[in-house]
Amino acid sequence: MTGRKLVLVGGHRFSSFALVFRLDEAGPGRTRLCAETRAAFPGRAGGLYRGLVIGTGGHGLVVRRMLASARRRAERR
C-alpha cells in the first residue's frame, strides 16, 4: 500500500485549496495516514479569510479532529 494518495480539490470566493491524504505502510498490518493542505488566498478578502481560518488555529484543529476520527474508525475494524 506504500505511496497511495487521494487529492480533494475545491475552492470558493476567498480561496482555492487541495486536501491531500497519503497512505503509507507503517509496519506489518499497519498503515499511516497523513493529511496535507494547500491553499491560495487571492486578494485582500482572501488575506482576511486566511487570517481568520489559519491565523486562529481553527484549520489545524479541524484537520487534527478529522485524522483522529479516521483513526478511531480504523481501529474499530
Side-chain angles (χ1 to χ4, degrees), residues 20-76:
V20 181
F21 293 100
R22 296 181 193 283
L23 295 169
D24 292 306
E25 288 184 33
R30 297 178 54 108
T31 302
R32 176 178 294 117
L33 170 64
C34 297
E36 171 188 332
T37 55
R38 300 177 187 162
F41 302 90
R44 178 174 241 167
L48 291 171
Y49 182 77
R50 179 181 183 193
L52 290 171
V53 173
I54 305 296
T56 62
H59 172 73
L61 178 67
V62 168
V63 172
R64 282 190 299 276
R65 283 187 179 182
M66 180 177 38
L67 290 172
S69 175
R71 180 180 185 168
R72 284 190 304 272
R73 290 177 180 202
E75 288 176 344
R76 273 188 258 163

Side-chain angles (χ1 to χ4, degrees), residues 8-20:
L8 305 174
V9 178
H12 53 73
R13 179 176 169 177
F14 304 113
S15 71
S16 57
F17 49 84
L19 179 56
V20 181

